[in-house]
PDB file of all heavy atoms in Angstrom:
ATOM      1  N   GLY A 319     -35.331  23.631 -24.884  1.00 89.00           N
ATOM      2  CA  GLY A 319     -36.132  23.246 -26.020  1.00 89.00           C
ATOM      3  C   GLY A 319     -36.335  21.739 -26.063  1.00 89.00           C
ATOM      4  O   GLY A 319     -35.517  20.929 -25.549  1.00 89.00           O
ATOM      5  N   VAL A 320     -37.446  21.276 -26.691  1.00 89.00           N
ATOM      6  CA  VAL A 320     -37.732  19.846 -26.726  1.00 89.00           C
ATOM      7  C   VAL A 320     -36.679  19.061 -27.468  1.00 89.00           C
ATOM      8  O   VAL A 320     -36.415  17.911 -27.177  1.00 89.00           O
ATOM      9  CB  VAL A 320     -39.112  19.554 -27.385  1.00 89.00           C
ATOM     10  CG1 VAL A 320     -40.218  20.091 -26.477  1.00 89.00           C
ATOM     11  CG2 VAL A 320     -39.221  20.194 -28.739  1.00 89.00           C
ATOM     12  N   GLY A 321     -36.038  19.704 -28.463  1.00 92.00           N
ATOM     13  CA  GLY A 321     -35.010  19.002 -29.247  1.00 92.00           C
ATOM     14  C   GLY A 321     -33.882  18.553 -28.383  1.00 92.00           C
ATOM     15  O   GLY A 321     -33.421  17.412 -28.425  1.00 92.00           O
ATOM     16  N   PHE A 324     -34.817  15.797 -26.082  1.00 92.00           N
ATOM     17  CA  PHE A 324     -34.864  14.455 -26.710  1.00 92.00           C
ATOM     18  C   PHE A 324     -33.429  13.922 -26.945  1.00 92.00           C
ATOM     19  O   PHE A 324     -33.143  12.764 -26.689  1.00 92.00           O
ATOM     20  CB  PHE A 324     -35.634  14.514 -28.027  1.00 92.00           C
ATOM     21  CG  PHE A 324     -35.517  13.218 -28.736  1.00 92.00           C
ATOM     22  CD1 PHE A 324     -36.338  12.169 -28.302  1.00 92.00           C
ATOM     23  CD2 PHE A 324     -34.582  12.965 -29.729  1.00 92.00           C
ATOM     24  CE1 PHE A 324     -36.204  10.886 -28.945  1.00 92.00           C
ATOM     25  CE2 PHE A 324     -34.467  11.721 -30.293  1.00 92.00           C
ATOM     26  CZ  PHE A 324     -35.328  10.675 -29.901  1.00 92.00           C
ATOM     27  N   ILE A 325     -32.567  14.803 -27.477  1.00 93.00           N
ATOM     28  CA  ILE A 325     -31.221  14.332 -27.794  1.00 93.00           C
ATOM     29  C   ILE A 325     -30.564  13.725 -26.509  1.00 93.00           C
ATOM     30  O   ILE A 325     -29.913  12.665 -26.553  1.00 93.00           O
ATOM     31  CB  ILE A 325     -30.319  15.483 -28.318  1.00 93.00           C
ATOM     32  CG1 ILE A 325     -30.859  15.914 -29.676  1.00 93.00           C
ATOM     33  CG2 ILE A 325     -28.882  15.031 -28.448  1.00 93.00           C
ATOM     34  CD1 ILE A 325     -29.935  16.952 -30.325  1.00 93.00           C
ATOM     35  N   PHE A 328     -31.977  10.512 -25.571  1.00 92.00           N
ATOM     36  CA  PHE A 328     -31.439   9.512 -26.519  1.00 92.00           C
ATOM     37  C   PHE A 328     -30.061   9.069 -26.049  1.00 92.00           C
ATOM     38  O   PHE A 328     -29.753   7.887 -25.957  1.00 92.00           O
ATOM     39  CB  PHE A 328     -31.363  10.156 -27.892  1.00 92.00           C
ATOM     40  CG  PHE A 328     -30.890   9.217 -28.984  1.00 92.00           C
ATOM     41  CD1 PHE A 328     -31.823   8.480 -29.713  1.00 92.00           C
ATOM     42  CD2 PHE A 328     -29.556   9.147 -29.323  1.00 92.00           C
ATOM     43  CE1 PHE A 328     -31.357   7.626 -30.730  1.00 92.00           C
ATOM     44  CE2 PHE A 328     -29.104   8.336 -30.348  1.00 92.00           C
ATOM     45  CZ  PHE A 328     -30.051   7.563 -31.040  1.00 92.00           C
ATOM     46  N   PHE A 480     -48.016  14.580   5.469  1.00 88.00           N
ATOM     47  CA  PHE A 480     -49.135  14.091   4.645  1.00 88.00           C
ATOM     48  C   PHE A 480     -50.308  13.822   5.592  1.00 88.00           C
ATOM     49  O   PHE A 480     -50.106  13.417   6.696  1.00 88.00           O
ATOM     50  CB  PHE A 480     -48.790  12.813   3.890  1.00 88.00           C
ATOM     51  CG  PHE A 480     -47.718  12.985   2.866  1.00 88.00           C
ATOM     52  CD1 PHE A 480     -46.403  12.714   3.172  1.00 88.00           C
ATOM     53  CD2 PHE A 480     -48.048  13.431   1.609  1.00 88.00           C
ATOM     54  CE1 PHE A 480     -45.417  12.941   2.224  1.00 88.00           C
ATOM     55  CE2 PHE A 480     -47.055  13.609   0.662  1.00 88.00           C
ATOM     56  CZ  PHE A 480     -45.758  13.366   0.966  1.00 88.00           C
ATOM     57  N   ASP A 481     -51.481  14.065   5.097  1.00 84.00           N
ATOM     58  CA  ASP A 481     -52.699  13.757   5.851  1.00 84.00           C
ATOM     59  C   ASP A 481     -53.212  12.403   5.380  1.00 84.00           C
ATOM     60  O   ASP A 481     -53.960  12.337   4.397  1.00 84.00           O
ATOM     61  CB  ASP A 481     -53.746  14.845   5.646  1.00 84.00           C
ATOM     62  CG  ASP A 481     -55.023  14.499   6.331  1.00 84.00           C
ATOM     63  OD1 ASP A 481     -55.036  13.533   7.138  1.00 84.00           O
ATOM     64  OD2 ASP A 481     -56.043  15.188   6.128  1.00 84.00           O
ATOM     65  N   LEU A 486     -57.711   9.940  -0.432  1.00 82.00           N
ATOM     66  CA  LEU A 486     -56.755   9.845  -1.537  1.00 82.00           C
ATOM     67  C   LEU A 486     -55.393   9.278  -1.068  1.00 82.00           C
ATOM     68  O   LEU A 486     -54.696   8.607  -1.824  1.00 82.00           O
ATOM     69  CB  LEU A 486     -56.549  11.273  -2.133  1.00 82.00           C
ATOM     70  CG  LEU A 486     -56.293  11.356  -3.577  1.00 82.00           C
ATOM     71  CD1 LEU A 486     -57.603  11.035  -4.315  1.00 82.00           C
ATOM     72  CD2 LEU A 486     -55.837  12.753  -3.930  1.00 82.00           C
ATOM     73  N   LEU A 487     -55.014   9.616   0.173  1.00 86.00           N
ATOM     74  CA  LEU A 487     -53.720   9.250   0.685  1.00 86.00           C
ATOM     75  C   LEU A 487     -53.757   7.994   1.502  1.00 86.00           C
ATOM     76  O   LEU A 487     -52.720   7.356   1.712  1.00 86.00           O
ATOM     77  CB  LEU A 487     -53.112  10.391   1.469  1.00 86.00           C
ATOM     78  CG  LEU A 487     -52.415  11.484   0.694  1.00 86.00           C
ATOM     79  CD1 LEU A 487     -53.429  12.369  -0.006  1.00 86.00           C
ATOM     80  CD2 LEU A 487     -51.563  12.320   1.650  1.00 86.00           C
ATOM     81  N   PRO A 542      -3.899  -0.357 -27.859  1.00 89.00           N
ATOM     82  CA  PRO A 542      -3.806   0.815 -28.674  1.00 89.00           C
ATOM     83  C   PRO A 542      -3.714   2.069 -27.770  1.00 89.00           C
ATOM     84  O   PRO A 542      -4.265   2.072 -26.665  1.00 89.00           O
ATOM     85  CB  PRO A 542      -5.144   0.831 -29.446  1.00 89.00           C
ATOM     86  CG  PRO A 542      -5.738  -0.532 -29.264  1.00 89.00           C
ATOM     87  CD  PRO A 542      -5.113  -1.126 -28.023  1.00 89.00           C
ATOM     88  N   ASN A 543      -3.061   3.089 -28.277  1.00 88.00           N
ATOM     89  CA  ASN A 543      -2.923   4.343 -27.497  1.00 88.00           C
ATOM     90  C   ASN A 543      -4.261   4.832 -27.030  1.00 88.00           C
ATOM     91  O   ASN A 543      -4.418   5.326 -25.923  1.00 88.00           O
ATOM     92  CB  ASN A 543      -2.268   5.415 -28.389  1.00 88.00           C
ATOM     93  CG  ASN A 543      -0.777   5.179 -28.469  1.00 88.00           C
ATOM     94  OD1 ASN A 543      -0.170   4.582 -27.545  1.00 88.00           O
ATOM     95  ND2 ASN A 543      -0.156   5.648 -29.527  1.00 88.00           N
ATOM     96  N   ALA A 544      -5.250   4.689 -27.886  1.00 89.00           N
ATOM     97  CA  ALA A 544      -6.577   5.289 -27.564  1.00 89.00           C
ATOM     98  C   ALA A 544      -7.161   4.594 -26.309  1.00 89.00           C
ATOM     99  O   ALA A 544      -7.976   5.181 -25.606  1.00 89.00           O
ATOM    100  CB  ALA A 544      -7.544   5.139 -28.713  1.00 89.00           C
ATOM    101  N   GLY A 547      -5.223   5.871 -22.711  1.00 92.00           N
ATOM    102  CA  GLY A 547      -5.196   7.273 -22.264  1.00 92.00           C
ATOM    103  C   GLY A 547      -6.536   7.896 -22.601  1.00 92.00           C
ATOM    104  O   GLY A 547      -7.438   7.194 -23.087  1.00 92.00           O
ATOM    105  N   ALA A 549      -6.934  11.269 -24.103  1.00 92.00           N
ATOM    106  CA  ALA A 549      -6.924  12.463 -24.943  1.00 92.00           C
ATOM    107  C   ALA A 549      -8.049  12.420 -25.980  1.00 92.00           C
ATOM    108  O   ALA A 549      -8.825  13.366 -26.101  1.00 92.00           O
ATOM    109  CB  ALA A 549      -5.582  12.606 -25.622  1.00 92.00           C
ATOM    110  N   LEU A 550      -8.154  11.308 -26.717  1.00 93.00           N
ATOM    111  CA  LEU A 550      -9.135  11.194 -27.756  1.00 93.00           C
ATOM    112  C   LEU A 550     -10.511  11.348 -27.178  1.00 93.00           C
ATOM    113  O   LEU A 550     -11.374  12.105 -27.707  1.00 93.00           O
ATOM    114  CB  LEU A 550      -9.013   9.824 -28.420  1.00 93.00           C
ATOM    115  CG  LEU A 550     -10.162   9.430 -29.358  1.00 93.00           C
ATOM    116  CD1 LEU A 550     -10.255  10.392 -30.544  1.00 93.00           C
ATOM    117  CD2 LEU A 550      -9.990   8.010 -29.826  1.00 93.00           C
ATOM    118  N   ALA A 553     -11.456  14.782 -26.089  1.00 94.00           N
ATOM    119  CA  ALA A 553     -11.766  15.644 -27.242  1.00 94.00           C
ATOM    120  C   ALA A 553     -13.170  15.347 -27.753  1.00 94.00           C
ATOM    121  O   ALA A 553     -13.968  16.293 -28.039  1.00 94.00           O
ATOM    122  CB  ALA A 553     -10.741  15.334 -28.355  1.00 94.00           C
ATOM    123  N   ILE A 554     -13.550  14.065 -27.820  1.00 95.00           N
ATOM    124  CA  ILE A 554     -14.913  13.725 -28.271  1.00 95.00           C
ATOM    125  C   ILE A 554     -15.962  14.233 -27.287  1.00 95.00           C
ATOM    126  O   ILE A 554     -16.978  14.843 -27.652  1.00 95.00           O
ATOM    127  CB  ILE A 554     -15.052  12.190 -28.484  1.00 95.00           C
ATOM    128  CG1 ILE A 554     -14.171  11.778 -29.642  1.00 95.00           C
ATOM    129  CG2 ILE A 554     -16.503  11.847 -28.749  1.00 95.00           C
ATOM    130  CD1 ILE A 554     -14.233  10.266 -29.933  1.00 95.00           C
ATOM    131  N   GLU A 562     -24.256  19.571 -27.137  1.00 93.00           N
ATOM    132  CA  GLU A 562     -25.417  19.303 -26.285  1.00 93.00           C
ATOM    133  C   GLU A 562     -25.757  20.448 -25.368  1.00 93.00           C
ATOM    134  O   GLU A 562     -26.875  20.583 -24.926  1.00 93.00           O
ATOM    135  CB  GLU A 562     -25.149  18.048 -25.435  1.00 93.00           C
ATOM    136  CG  GLU A 562     -24.794  16.815 -26.235  1.00 93.00           C
ATOM    137  CD  GLU A 562     -25.949  16.244 -27.020  1.00 93.00           C
ATOM    138  OE1 GLU A 562     -26.878  15.773 -26.330  1.00 93.00           O
ATOM    139  OE2 GLU A 562     -25.951  16.344 -28.209  1.00 93.00           O
ATOM    140  N   TYR A 565     -25.779  25.563 -26.868  1.00 94.00           N
ATOM    141  CA  TYR A 565     -26.947  26.382 -27.002  1.00 94.00           C
ATOM    142  C   TYR A 565     -27.793  26.490 -25.739  1.00 94.00           C
ATOM    143  O   TYR A 565     -28.164  27.620 -25.337  1.00 94.00           O
ATOM    144  CB  TYR A 565     -27.795  25.942 -28.183  1.00 94.00           C
ATOM    145  CG  TYR A 565     -29.011  26.815 -28.414  1.00 94.00           C
ATOM    146  CD1 TYR A 565     -28.918  27.968 -29.189  1.00 94.00           C
ATOM    147  CD2 TYR A 565     -30.208  26.488 -27.832  1.00 94.00           C
ATOM    148  CE1 TYR A 565     -29.993  28.794 -29.349  1.00 94.00           C
ATOM    149  CE2 TYR A 565     -31.325  27.334 -27.986  1.00 94.00           C
ATOM    150  CZ  TYR A 565     -31.212  28.480 -28.753  1.00 94.00           C
ATOM    151  OH  TYR A 565     -32.260  29.291 -28.915  1.00 94.00           O
ATOM    152  N   ARG A 592     -48.429  21.079  13.120  1.00 40.00           N
ATOM    153  CA  ARG A 592     -49.455  20.288  12.443  1.00 40.00           C
ATOM    154  C   ARG A 592     -50.639  20.017  13.356  1.00 40.00           C
ATOM    155  O   ARG A 592     -50.570  19.999  14.512  1.00 40.00           O
ATOM    156  CB  ARG A 592     -48.992  19.012  11.846  1.00 40.00           C
ATOM    157  CG  ARG A 592     -48.152  18.124  12.715  1.00 40.00           C
ATOM    158  CD  ARG A 592     -48.042  16.795  12.018  1.00 40.00           C
ATOM    159  NE  ARG A 592     -46.688  16.302  11.927  1.00 40.00           N
ATOM    160  CZ  ARG A 592     -46.403  15.178  11.308  1.00 40.00           C
ATOM    161  NH1 ARG A 592     -47.322  14.518  10.708  1.00 40.00           N
ATOM    162  NH2 ARG A 592     -45.169  14.793  11.230  1.00 40.00           N
TER     163      ARG A 592
ATOM    164  N   GLY B  80      -1.614  13.169 -24.254  1.00 43.00           N
ATOM    165  CA  GLY B  80      -2.345  13.102 -25.450  1.00 43.00           C
ATOM    166  C   GLY B  80      -1.522  13.071 -26.729  1.00 43.00           C
ATOM    167  O   GLY B  80      -1.873  12.428 -27.685  1.00 43.00           O
ATOM    168  N   ASP B  82       1.209  11.713 -27.738  1.00 48.00           N
ATOM    169  CA  ASP B  82       1.762  10.481 -28.303  1.00 48.00           C
ATOM    170  C   ASP B  82       0.664   9.549 -28.786  1.00 48.00           C
ATOM    171  O   ASP B  82       0.936   8.436 -29.217  1.00 48.00           O
ATOM    172  CB  ASP B  82       2.627   9.787 -27.265  1.00 48.00           C
ATOM    173  CG  ASP B  82       1.868   9.519 -25.997  1.00 48.00           C
ATOM    174  OD1 ASP B  82       1.070  10.367 -25.552  1.00 48.00           O
ATOM    175  OD2 ASP B  82       2.071   8.424 -25.398  1.00 48.00           O
ATOM    176  N   GLN B  83      -0.615   9.898 -28.602  1.00 50.00           N
ATOM    177  CA  GLN B  83      -1.642   8.925 -28.902  1.00 50.00           C
ATOM    178  C   GLN B  83      -2.186   9.048 -30.301  1.00 50.00           C
ATOM    179  O   GLN B  83      -2.912   8.175 -30.741  1.00 50.00           O
ATOM    180  CB  GLN B  83      -2.826   9.138 -27.921  1.00 50.00           C
ATOM    181  CG  GLN B  83      -2.507   8.663 -26.546  1.00 50.00           C
ATOM    182  CD  GLN B  83      -3.715   8.711 -25.684  1.00 50.00           C
ATOM    183  OE1 GLN B  83      -4.836   8.688 -26.187  1.00 50.00           O
ATOM    184  NE2 GLN B  83      -3.496   8.745 -24.402  1.00 50.00           N
ATOM    185  N   ALA B  85      -4.457  11.118 -31.172  1.00 61.00           N
ATOM    186  CA  ALA B  85      -5.874  11.095 -30.933  1.00 61.00           C
ATOM    187  C   ALA B  85      -6.681  11.661 -32.098  1.00 61.00           C
ATOM    188  O   ALA B  85      -7.800  11.293 -32.313  1.00 61.00           O
ATOM    189  CB  ALA B  85      -6.201  11.942 -29.661  1.00 61.00           C
ATOM    190  N   PHE B  86      -6.031  12.546 -32.830  1.00 68.00           N
ATOM    191  CA  PHE B  86      -6.815  13.173 -33.908  1.00 68.00           C
ATOM    192  C   PHE B  86      -6.374  12.706 -35.306  1.00 68.00           C
ATOM    193  O   PHE B  86      -6.776  13.217 -36.292  1.00 68.00           O
ATOM    194  CB  PHE B  86      -6.660  14.701 -33.804  1.00 68.00           C
ATOM    195  CG  PHE B  86      -7.029  15.179 -32.416  1.00 68.00           C
ATOM    196  CD1 PHE B  86      -6.090  15.464 -31.489  1.00 68.00           C
ATOM    197  CD2 PHE B  86      -8.391  15.259 -32.090  1.00 68.00           C
ATOM    198  CE1 PHE B  86      -6.443  15.836 -30.195  1.00 68.00           C
ATOM    199  CE2 PHE B  86      -8.733  15.641 -30.839  1.00 68.00           C
ATOM    200  CZ  PHE B  86      -7.765  15.950 -29.872  1.00 68.00           C
ATOM    201  N   TRP B  92      -9.047   3.614 -33.751  1.00 88.00           N
ATOM    202  CA  TRP B  92      -9.890   4.065 -32.631  1.00 88.00           C
ATOM    203  C   TRP B  92     -10.384   5.486 -32.752  1.00 88.00           C
ATOM    204  O   TRP B  92     -11.572   5.717 -32.509  1.00 88.00           O
ATOM    205  CB  TRP B  92      -9.185   3.844 -31.303  1.00 88.00           C
ATOM    206  CG  TRP B  92      -9.259   2.413 -30.908  1.00 88.00           C
ATOM    207  CD1 TRP B  92      -8.276   1.438 -31.009  1.00 88.00           C
ATOM    208  CD2 TRP B  92     -10.411   1.692 -30.419  1.00 88.00           C
ATOM    209  NE1 TRP B  92      -8.752   0.232 -30.618  1.00 88.00           N
ATOM    210  CE2 TRP B  92     -10.074   0.377 -30.216  1.00 88.00           C
ATOM    211  CE3 TRP B  92     -11.715   2.118 -30.095  1.00 88.00           C
ATOM    212  CZ2 TRP B  92     -10.957  -0.585 -29.739  1.00 88.00           C
ATOM    213  CZ3 TRP B  92     -12.610   1.178 -29.635  1.00 88.00           C
ATOM    214  CH2 TRP B  92     -12.253  -0.171 -29.459  1.00 88.00           C
ATOM    215  N   GLY B  96     -14.242   6.417 -32.778  1.00 91.00           N
ATOM    216  CA  GLY B  96     -14.791   7.404 -31.865  1.00 91.00           C
ATOM    217  C   GLY B  96     -15.476   8.537 -32.562  1.00 91.00           C
ATOM    218  O   GLY B  96     -16.644   8.858 -32.264  1.00 91.00           O
ATOM    219  N   PHE B 100     -19.483   9.390 -32.785  1.00 94.00           N
ATOM    220  CA  PHE B 100     -19.929  10.700 -32.308  1.00 94.00           C
ATOM    221  C   PHE B 100     -20.849  11.337 -33.380  1.00 94.00           C
ATOM    222  O   PHE B 100     -21.965  11.789 -33.089  1.00 94.00           O
ATOM    223  CB  PHE B 100     -18.710  11.610 -32.052  1.00 94.00           C
ATOM    224  CG  PHE B 100     -19.044  13.029 -31.919  1.00 94.00           C
ATOM    225  CD1 PHE B 100     -19.599  13.555 -30.750  1.00 94.00           C
ATOM    226  CD2 PHE B 100     -18.786  13.936 -32.948  1.00 94.00           C
ATOM    227  CE1 PHE B 100     -19.912  14.879 -30.613  1.00 94.00           C
ATOM    228  CE2 PHE B 100     -19.096  15.287 -32.836  1.00 94.00           C
ATOM    229  CZ  PHE B 100     -19.660  15.767 -31.666  1.00 94.00           C
ATOM    230  N   ILE B 104     -24.867  12.035 -32.899  1.00 94.00           N
ATOM    231  CA  ILE B 104     -25.383  13.433 -32.989  1.00 94.00           C
ATOM    232  C   ILE B 104     -26.397  13.561 -34.145  1.00 94.00           C
ATOM    233  O   ILE B 104     -27.448  14.186 -34.024  1.00 94.00           O
ATOM    234  CB  ILE B 104     -24.239  14.447 -33.124  1.00 94.00           C
ATOM    235  CG1 ILE B 104     -23.432  14.432 -31.818  1.00 94.00           C
ATOM    236  CG2 ILE B 104     -24.784  15.835 -33.395  1.00 94.00           C
ATOM    237  CD1 ILE B 104     -24.157  15.000 -30.618  1.00 94.00           C
ATOM    238  N   SER B 107     -29.702  11.536 -33.419  1.00 94.00           N
ATOM    239  CA  SER B 107     -30.544  12.099 -32.331  1.00 94.00           C
ATOM    240  C   SER B 107     -31.007  13.470 -32.722  1.00 94.00           C
ATOM    241  O   SER B 107     -32.162  13.840 -32.402  1.00 94.00           O
ATOM    242  CB  SER B 107     -29.775  12.100 -31.024  1.00 94.00           C
ATOM    243  OG  SER B 107     -28.585  12.870 -31.152  1.00 94.00           O
ATOM    244  N   LEU B 110     -33.938  13.098 -35.138  1.00 93.00           N
ATOM    245  CA  LEU B 110     -35.193  12.696 -34.447  1.00 93.00           C
ATOM    246  C   LEU B 110     -35.685  13.820 -33.583  1.00 93.00           C
ATOM    247  O   LEU B 110     -36.887  14.119 -33.551  1.00 93.00           O
ATOM    248  CB  LEU B 110     -34.898  11.465 -33.577  1.00 93.00           C
ATOM    249  CG  LEU B 110     -34.766  10.134 -34.324  1.00 93.00           C
ATOM    250  CD1 LEU B 110     -34.287   9.070 -33.342  1.00 93.00           C
ATOM    251  CD2 LEU B 110     -36.096   9.767 -34.949  1.00 93.00           C
ATOM    252  N   GLY B 111     -34.796  14.504 -32.847  1.00 91.00           N
ATOM    253  CA  GLY B 111     -35.204  15.497 -31.881  1.00 91.00           C
ATOM    254  C   GLY B 111     -35.703  16.783 -32.532  1.00 91.00           C
ATOM    255  O   GLY B 111     -36.682  17.328 -32.101  1.00 91.00           O
ATOM    256  N   PHE B 112     -34.985  17.247 -33.568  1.00 92.00           N
ATOM    257  CA  PHE B 112     -35.310  18.540 -34.078  1.00 92.00           C
ATOM    258  C   PHE B 112     -36.235  18.546 -35.343  1.00 92.00           C
ATOM    259  O   PHE B 112     -36.959  19.442 -35.567  1.00 92.00           O
ATOM    260  CB  PHE B 112     -34.056  19.298 -34.464  1.00 92.00           C
ATOM    261  CG  PHE B 112     -33.306  19.832 -33.276  1.00 92.00           C
ATOM    262  CD1 PHE B 112     -32.234  19.100 -32.745  1.00 92.00           C
ATOM    263  CD2 PHE B 112     -33.697  21.015 -32.693  1.00 92.00           C
ATOM    264  CE1 PHE B 112     -31.597  19.585 -31.602  1.00 92.00           C
ATOM    265  CE2 PHE B 112     -33.036  21.450 -31.558  1.00 92.00           C
ATOM    266  CZ  PHE B 112     -31.963  20.731 -31.017  1.00 92.00           C
ATOM    267  N   LEU B 115     -39.578  14.654 -34.185  1.00 89.00           N
ATOM    268  CA  LEU B 115     -40.472  14.725 -33.020  1.00 89.00           C
ATOM    269  C   LEU B 115     -40.930  16.124 -32.749  1.00 89.00           C
ATOM    270  O   LEU B 115     -42.067  16.316 -32.250  1.00 89.00           O
ATOM    271  CB  LEU B 115     -39.752  14.139 -31.838  1.00 89.00           C
ATOM    272  CG  LEU B 115     -39.438  12.659 -31.955  1.00 89.00           C
ATOM    273  CD1 LEU B 115     -38.622  12.161 -30.762  1.00 89.00           C
ATOM    274  CD2 LEU B 115     -40.713  11.859 -32.080  1.00 89.00           C
ATOM    275  N   SER B 116     -40.105  17.146 -32.963  1.00 88.00           N
ATOM    276  CA  SER B 116     -40.531  18.499 -32.674  1.00 88.00           C
ATOM    277  C   SER B 116     -41.684  18.968 -33.539  1.00 88.00           C
ATOM    278  O   SER B 116     -42.318  19.935 -33.228  1.00 88.00           O
ATOM    279  CB  SER B 116     -39.364  19.486 -32.901  1.00 88.00           C
ATOM    280  OG  SER B 116     -38.374  19.298 -31.921  1.00 88.00           O
ATOM    281  N   GLY B 134     -37.577  22.941 -31.243  1.00 89.00           N
ATOM    282  CA  GLY B 134     -36.574  22.052 -30.695  1.00 89.00           C
ATOM    283  C   GLY B 134     -35.526  22.846 -29.912  1.00 89.00           C
ATOM    284  O   GLY B 134     -35.042  22.408 -28.866  1.00 89.00           O
ATOM    285  N   LEU B 135     -35.207  24.038 -30.457  1.00 88.00           N
ATOM    286  CA  LEU B 135     -34.232  24.865 -29.753  1.00 88.00           C
ATOM    287  C   LEU B 135     -34.783  25.531 -28.507  1.00 88.00           C
ATOM    288  O   LEU B 135     -34.042  26.031 -27.688  1.00 88.00           O
ATOM    289  CB  LEU B 135     -33.711  25.937 -30.688  1.00 88.00           C
ATOM    290  CG  LEU B 135     -32.786  25.513 -31.803  1.00 88.00           C
ATOM    291  CD1 LEU B 135     -32.585  26.618 -32.816  1.00 88.00           C
ATOM    292  CD2 LEU B 135     -31.441  25.099 -31.262  1.00 88.00           C
ATOM    293  N   GLY B 136     -36.090  25.550 -28.400  1.00 84.00           N
ATOM    294  CA  GLY B 136     -36.712  26.228 -27.254  1.00 84.00           C
ATOM    295  C   GLY B 136     -37.071  27.668 -27.541  1.00 84.00           C
ATOM    296  O   GLY B 136     -37.364  28.424 -26.635  1.00 84.00           O
ATOM    297  N   GLY B 265     -54.067  21.111  12.818  1.00 65.00           N
ATOM    298  CA  GLY B 265     -53.347  20.364  11.823  1.00 65.00           C
ATOM    299  C   GLY B 265     -54.178  19.679  10.779  1.00 65.00           C
ATOM    300  O   GLY B 265     -55.423  19.671  10.845  1.00 65.00           O
ATOM    301  N   PHE B 266     -53.452  19.022   9.862  1.00 66.00           N
ATOM    302  CA  PHE B 266     -54.136  18.226   8.824  1.00 66.00           C
ATOM    303  C   PHE B 266     -54.795  17.033   9.430  1.00 66.00           C
ATOM    304  O   PHE B 266     -55.673  16.436   8.844  1.00 66.00           O
ATOM    305  CB  PHE B 266     -53.108  17.759   7.822  1.00 66.00           C
ATOM    306  CG  PHE B 266     -52.451  18.843   7.051  1.00 66.00           C
ATOM    307  CD1 PHE B 266     -51.106  19.076   7.193  1.00 66.00           C
ATOM    308  CD2 PHE B 266     -53.167  19.608   6.175  1.00 66.00           C
ATOM    309  CE1 PHE B 266     -50.512  20.084   6.523  1.00 66.00           C
ATOM    310  CE2 PHE B 266     -52.584  20.613   5.455  1.00 66.00           C
ATOM    311  CZ  PHE B 266     -51.230  20.878   5.627  1.00 66.00           C
ATOM    312  N   ARG B 267     -54.310  16.630  10.606  1.00 68.00           N
ATOM    313  CA  ARG B 267     -54.831  15.387  11.194  1.00 68.00           C
ATOM    314  C   ARG B 267     -56.030  15.628  12.089  1.00 68.00           C
ATOM    315  O   ARG B 267     -56.497  14.701  12.729  1.00 68.00           O
ATOM    316  CB  ARG B 267     -53.694  14.690  11.945  1.00 68.00           C
ATOM    317  CG  ARG B 267     -52.570  14.430  10.977  1.00 68.00           C
ATOM    318  CD  ARG B 267     -51.380  13.822  11.635  1.00 68.00           C
ATOM    319  NE  ARG B 267     -50.356  13.709  10.581  1.00 68.00           N
ATOM    320  CZ  ARG B 267     -49.355  12.921  10.584  1.00 68.00           C
ATOM    321  NH1 ARG B 267     -49.194  12.147  11.614  1.00 68.00           N
ATOM    322  NH2 ARG B 267     -48.509  12.867   9.603  1.00 68.00           N
ATOM    323  N   GLN B 282     -53.933  19.370  -1.015  1.00 78.00           N
ATOM    324  CA  GLN B 282     -54.077  18.439  -2.161  1.00 78.00           C
ATOM    325  C   GLN B 282     -55.085  18.943  -3.175  1.00 78.00           C
ATOM    326  O   GLN B 282     -54.960  18.714  -4.344  1.00 78.00           O
ATOM    327  CB  GLN B 282     -54.555  17.074  -1.664  1.00 78.00           C
ATOM    328  CG  GLN B 282     -53.466  16.278  -1.045  1.00 78.00           C
ATOM    329  CD  GLN B 282     -53.138  15.052  -1.829  1.00 78.00           C
ATOM    330  OE1 GLN B 282     -54.044  14.438  -2.354  1.00 78.00           O
ATOM    331  NE2 GLN B 282     -51.883  14.748  -1.980  1.00 78.00           N
TER     332      GLN B 282
END
Side-chain angles (χ1 to χ4, degrees):
Chain A
V320 292
F324 175 79
I325 293 186
F328 183 90
F480 295 96
D481 175 10
L486 214 71
L487 277 73
N543 281 335
L550 168 64
I554 294 180
E562 305 288 293
Y565 181 85
R592 49 167 130 182
Chain B
D82 57 320
Q83 287 187 22
F86 306 100
W92 281 103
F100 165 78
I104 293 294
S107 60
L110 286 172
F112 284 97
L115 295 176
S116 289
L135 286 170
F266 295 115
R267 301 178 183 200
Q282 283 246 322

